[in-house]
Every structure is written in structure tokens, then in C-alpha cells.
Amino acid sequence: MAVRVIEVDEFDLVVFGGTGDLAHRKLLPALYHRDLDRQLPAGARIVVTARRRYADADYRDWAAAALGEHVADLDEAALKRFLARIRYVPLDVDAGTGWSELAAVLEERPDVVRVFYLAVAPDFFGPICEGIGGEGLVNATTRVVIEKPIGKDGASARALNATIGAVFDEHQIFRIDHYLGKETVQNLMALRFANALFEPLWNAAHVDHVQITVAESLGVGGRAGYYDAAGALRDMVQNHLLQLLCLAAMEPPESMDADSVRDEKLKVLKALAPITGDSVDRLTVRGQYRAGASAGGAVPGYLEELGRDDSRTETFVALKVQIANWRWAGVPFYLRTGKRLATRVSEIVVQFRPIPHSIFDPEAGPIAANRLILRLQPDEGVTMQVMIKDPGPGGMRLRQVPLDMSFAEAFKVRNPDAYERLLMDVIRGNQTLFMRRDEVDAAWSWIDPILDAWAAGAGHPKPYTSGTWGPSAAIALIERDGRTWAEDGL
Ligand code: NAD
């Protein structure tokens, strides 16, 4: 099936931190693919800045090597066309050098869409925004893209948003959560709001509970220093898992318009039942990985990687979350995320209630409740678990089968990376898949008391062996309620 590609407007995309890991692994490959599909207009430019004193040609060589590493089947002609779009401007944020050179490049095209992508450590977000403002680089079509983390708690996030807000209007600020750019996440909205089938069942009367799992098999590796100041709750739950929860739980928005969707997500965040003080021990589980075995063999524990043995930072968290509104009253949302788990998988599982009464003989076998599974990675797709009759003559035997709705398979198209869509949305000025300031505030308001309670308590995260599903307390968290973590496809 041919995919319809609509060319975006002429733009200059300025990437701060263009020699970093994000640019290398995600931004350059995403932009190359959009160029390959002819979505970038003839004059589109990518203006890269970083500290290193590269000439254009040096950076293009670096970019070509990055693309060679991360893109299968590079097309020589497309690569040449893509590299020719790149300009490199050395710019040191600390030293304050390079700004006038950047301004001179941008002044060549004052009227095109101008995007500033901040692919740098968060400490630079403020100084870079001030530099952009100070140089007078904000034009009518300017947008700024902010990467996570947005703060380490509510107060720091508010301060950061205020600094950015002093230079840019809210409609110019694109806070990226790349989970929202994943095909499956958008398919969640398509399934819910483009079908008559699911929405009538999407409530406490028919849904038993929801599980959201974001499991990584890798450890923190060389990022232990950064990670130790964050932990799984800040690094994953505050943004990615809560965003997924919002899309699964929100009311139908008026339209796909950015504010309609974000208004509904905000209502969910505000309806999250607080987890504070004494309920923290009952509703949350923290874990920290120890040495164990992973696919590649023996792996060290978190503390060994960190080189300290006093860290209480969690590399795993499981939570039981309630949404206090009419639609979801009494329906738990179980969230878990962690590093060095048994496998790498991200999925949302909507577990429907069991049938009220069985008409079948016990010999027909057990009747499992229906389950809708939205898998975000590694293979994006959607599966509905249904009961059918086992084919063939003889007695009635029931069997659970997956109705597979995987689109990459069905449509025979390459599954685009989330950054491809999100970058094009930024250029188009479409904020639907980006977090609004009040959403960030509301998410932190719910997270802060959990962090406070953990910090105030004497407890340590529970140890778990690398290559398992986390501490046994996380299994107890859900099994206490007579439920189990889904294992379909794991
Ligand atoms: P990185 O450390 O690999 O790269 C940092 C970049 O900043 C480099 O290009 C470096 O030259 C530049 N830089 C450092 N000091 C500078 C200075 N004084 N002046 C100008 N430039 C300077 O970081 P990264 O992994 O690419 O991450 C960038 C941002 O994206 C961070 O905020 C990170 O949290 C976020 N992020 C990264 C990923 C990822 O997969 N790497 C994923 C999500 C979010």
C-alpha cells in the first residue's frame, strides 16, 4: 500500500547538541528517512551546532558515518541530497561563542519555519533559550523542541518552563515525549475513536484492569552517574507511562486538535488518586537490580556499575494507580517499568471482565477474559485475545486465540521511528503529540509526594536479580488483588 507523503513547508532546523547520542541515533536517521520519502522541500536546511570546531565537510562525514550505522540500505543519491542540506556552526553555550555566526546563517532565510531542537543536557535549556531570545532569533514561525527530562520535581520543572516561557509562547514550545510518536500509541486513539466497537466497553463496567509495562533488558551502563540522580519514577513514569495512561483513559476529545486532546489528558492527570504518606508502601514497589544473567551473559549489578554502594535510586518501579472519575472508579491501572528485566517490551494490556455466566460444559475448558494488547516495542502491533471453538468435529472445546492486528505486517510498510513523525509535526506546527505546560505540572504534582515519601522513609529499593521481572513484591502487588501480570508475547 502506498503511503501518502505531504511535503512540509520550507524550514531551517537548528539542532543544538548535534554531535550527541540523540542526534547520532535518532534525529539524523529520522530526517534522512523523511528526505528519502521526499517530505523535505528542496530548500530545507539542517543547521547543526555543537562545541566541536568542525567545518561543514567534517560534520557531513560524521553524519554519513552515523547514518551508515543506523540506517539499513542507505540510498547513495538520497544520502548526498540529505548531506548537502547540512550546515555546521560551532557554538559553545558556556563560553557564549558562535551565536552571531548562527544568527548570520538564519538571517539568510528570515521567512521560513525556524525550529530550534535542544538535544543537549537540561542545564543548557535555559541558557540556550536566553541566547536565542537575546540574539533576536525568534520569528513568527519559530518553534522550540525540548527533550526530557523537564525538571527533577515540580518546582524545578516550573522554573524551567518559566525560563523557556520567557522567550517562547506556549504555542511555540514542543515538549517531546517520543512514546507519543509511536505508531501503536496513535493506533490506540484510532482503535478507540475510529471504531464503534471498543468505546462502549471502555469503562469500569467492562474493563477489569489495565496494565502498562515498559521493560528494558539493558542496564544503565555508562549512564549510571546521570541515572542515579533520576531513577525509574522520574525517568520513565512521570512522562512516558503517565502519557500512555492518559491516552488509554481519557474521554473522547472534541477533535484531534492539540488543545482538545491535551485538555482531556490533563483531566486524567488531575483525577489520579494521590499516593501519599502511608499509602506509598501499599501502592508502590521500588527495586534495584543486582548482578545476574542477561541475553549476553553475566552482568554486574547497579551498585557495581555506579561504583558506590549507598545509592537508594530505583531502577524498577511498580505502581497501582486509581483514576477517581466515573469512567474508571474501581479499575486499577498497574504500571511497571525497569532496567535489566527479563526482556525488552513495552505494552498496554486492557483486561476485560470475565463473562457473567458460562453455558459450556467444564470439559470445554476454561474461558479466559478478553484482553486487548497494544505492543509498542519491539514489534509494534495490536492483538485482541478472544475465545473460539477448537476447529474439528467432536465435542465443544474452547480455545483462546490472538486476533492479530499488526499493521506493519498487514500493510507491508516500514515502521517509521517515532522521531520521524514528531519532527514533521514540529515543522507543521501540530502540537497534538507534545506535552503542554500544565500537563507537565499536573504529572509532577502527582509524582512529587511519592518521591517525598520514599525520601523520608528509611527503606531501600528491593533487590532483584538482573534478567528477572523485578522484585517479588511487584508480583505480590498485583496478585494481592487476585490478578497477574500479563505474559502474552513476553
Ligand atoms: P550527549 O551528551 O550525547 O550530547 C550532548 C551534546 O551537547 C553534544 O553534541 C555536545 O557537543 C553538546 N554540548 C555539550 N556542552 C556544550 C556546550 N557548552 N555548548 C554547546 N554544546 C554543548 O547527550 P544526548 O544523549 O544526545 O542527549 C541530549 C538531550 O536529549 C538530553 O537532554 C537528554 O536527556 C535527551 N534525551 C536523549 C535521549 C537519547 O536517546 N540519547 C533520549 C531521550 C532524551
Side-chain angles (χ1 to χ4, degrees):
M1 200 189 71
V3 179
R4 201 160 57 102
V5 174
I6 303 169
E7 196 177 271
V8 294
D9 289 340
E10 283 291 349
F11 66 86
D12 282 345
L13 167 64
V14 183
V15 180
F16 288 89
T19 55
D21 176 69
L22 187 71
H24 185 267
R25 286 190 308 112
K26 293 290 180 186
L27 304 182
L28 288 170
L31 290 164
Y32 164 83
H33 276 297
R34 293 299 84 229
D35 199 11
L36 180 69
D37 287 350
R38 300 274 176 187
Q39 197 160 17
L40 309 193
R45 299 193 303 182
I46 299 155
V47 182
V48 175
T49 87
R51 251 180 328 182
R52 228 172 282 175
R53 302 210 66 80
Y54 272 152
D56 284 346
D58 302 325
Y59 185 79
R60 288 177 186 158
D61 289 346
W62 186 90
L67 292 169
E69 205 178 312
H70 295 290
V71 176
D73 305 328
L74 263 187
D75 178 292
E76 277 306 318
L79 175 66
K80 205 167 154 217
R81 181 174 77 229
F82 178 69
L83 293 177
R85 299 180 181 283
I86 297 179
R87 302 278 290 270
Y88 186 85
V89 179
L91 187 150
D92 189 324
V93 180
D94 287 326
T97 53
W99 284 104
S100 52
E101 289 79 357
L102 177 63
V105 172
L106 295 180
E107 274 154 22
E108 291 166 14
R109 306 198 326 148
D111 300 322
V112 301
V113 171
R114 188 178 285 176
V115 177
F116 296 102
Y117 198 116
L118 275 46
V120 289
D123 288 349
F124 292 120
F125 293 172
I128 290 178
C129 288
E130 283 157 11
I132 293 169
E135 289 293 325
L137 302 181
V138 181
N139 70 7
T141 56
T142 293
R143 332 199 194 289
V144 64
V145 186
I146 309 290
E147 271 287 349
K148 78 169 198 184
I150 301 174
K152 60 179 176 51
D153 53 22
S156 55
R158 279 192 298 280
L160 183 60
N161 278 326
T163 309
I164 300 164
V167 178
F168 299 99
D169 284 342
E170 183 60 27
H171 78 273
Q172 298 176 307
I173 304 173
F174 289 69
R175 297 180 190 82
I176 214 161
D177 184 325
H178 68 275
Y179 273 61
L180 299 186
K182 289 179 179 287
E183 286 288 320
T184 307
V185 174
Q186 286 157 72
N187 237 327
L188 171 57
M189 287 196 270
L191 277 180
R192 287 192 60 191
F193 305 127
N195 293 286
L197 197 61
F198 296 104
E199 209 44 31
L201 304 179
W202 211 260
N203 55 50
H206 301 284
V207 174
D208 179 75
H209 72 279
V210 177
Q211 300 182 15
I212 303 179
T213 296
V214 177
E216 297 174 79
S217 54
L218 295 177
V220 293
R223 291 175 66 242
Y226 155 78
Y227 190 86
D228 201 57
L233 192 69
R234 289 186 174 96
D235 192 44
M236 299 300 291
V237 179
Q238 186 273 339
N239 38 50
H240 307 315
L241 278 87
L242 285 186
Q243 285 291 319
L244 296 180
L245 178 145
C246 284
L247 291 177
M250 70 183 181
E251 295 299 316
E254 225 167 271
S255 71
M256 278 295 280
D257 159 77
D259 278 330
S260 302
V261 172
R262 299 186 304 175
D263 286 347
E264 294 308 333
K265 287 198 292 170
L266 180 65
K267 284 185 205 159
V268 175
L269 290 167
K270 288 186 166 170
L272 293 177
I275 299 183
T276 52
D278 39 1
S279 64
V280 169
D281 282 344
R282 199 163 35 85
L283 301 176
T284 75
V285 174
R286 278 179 294 167
Q288 193 183 68
Y289 64 79
R290 297 287 180 259
S294 179
V299 288
Y302 176 73
L303 297 175
E304 285 98 81
E305 284 177 327
L306 183 65
R308 282 202 349 248
D309 59 8
D310 60 346
S311 171
R312 290 207 297 165
T313 299
E314 77 288 356
T315 61
F316 174 96
V317 61
L319 305 142
K320 178 180 173 183
V321 181
Q322 299 278 358
I323 302 172
N325 65 18
W326 270 57
R327 186 188 282 262
W328 296 117
V331 179
F333 283 63
Y334 298 97
L335 273 45
R336 64 176 169 168
T337 182
K339 294 195 177 287
R340 283 271 169 77
L341 296 182
T343 189
R344 171 174 173 261
V345 68
S346 299
E347 60 180 26
I348 303 171
V349 177
V350 180
Q351 170 80 56
F352 291 92
R353 292 195 183 280
I355 54 164
H357 164 74
S358 174
I359 61 166
F360 301 98
D361 284 341
E363 291 81 64
I367 301 178
N370 297 124
R371 215 172 230 187
L372 179 68
I373 302 162
L374 298 118
R375 203 173 43 251
L376 282 69
Q377 56 193 25
D379 307 309
E380 292 201 48
V382 180
T383 302
M384 180 89 213
Q385 300 276 20
V386 294
M387 297 302 300
I388 60 156
K389 176 192 167 297
D390 227 352
M396 171 71 94
R397 293 231 189 291
L398 299 169
R399 179 158 38 137
Q400 189 186 40
V401 292
L403 275 186
D404 201 344
M405 300 185 259
S406 294
F407 36 82
E409 214 21 59
F411 298 118
K412 302 276 179 249
V413 291
R414 182 183 68 85
N415 208 353
D417 187 76
Y419 278 93
E420 294 181 41
R421 159 173 290 276
L422 295 174
L423 279 163
M424 294 304 102
D425 279 357
V426 173
I427 292 160
R428 288 190 203 100
N430 182 348
Q431 291 184 304
T432 304
L433 299 177
F434 297 82
M435 289 178 294
R436 206 168 55 191
R437 185 171 177 165
D438 49 7
E439 283 182 77
V440 177
D441 281 348
W444 278 121
S445 299
W446 186 78
I447 292 282
D448 275 347
I450 302 176
L451 288 169
D452 292 346
W454 283 351
H460 281 255
K462 298 196 166 25
Y464 62 96
T465 305
S466 287
T468 66
W469 279 109
S472 52
I475 296 167
L477 175 82
I478 191 166
E479 295 203 340
R480 268 202 301 275
D481 296 341
R483 303 176 173 114
T484 53
W485 291 108
E487 283 170 3
D488 320 73
L490 298 182

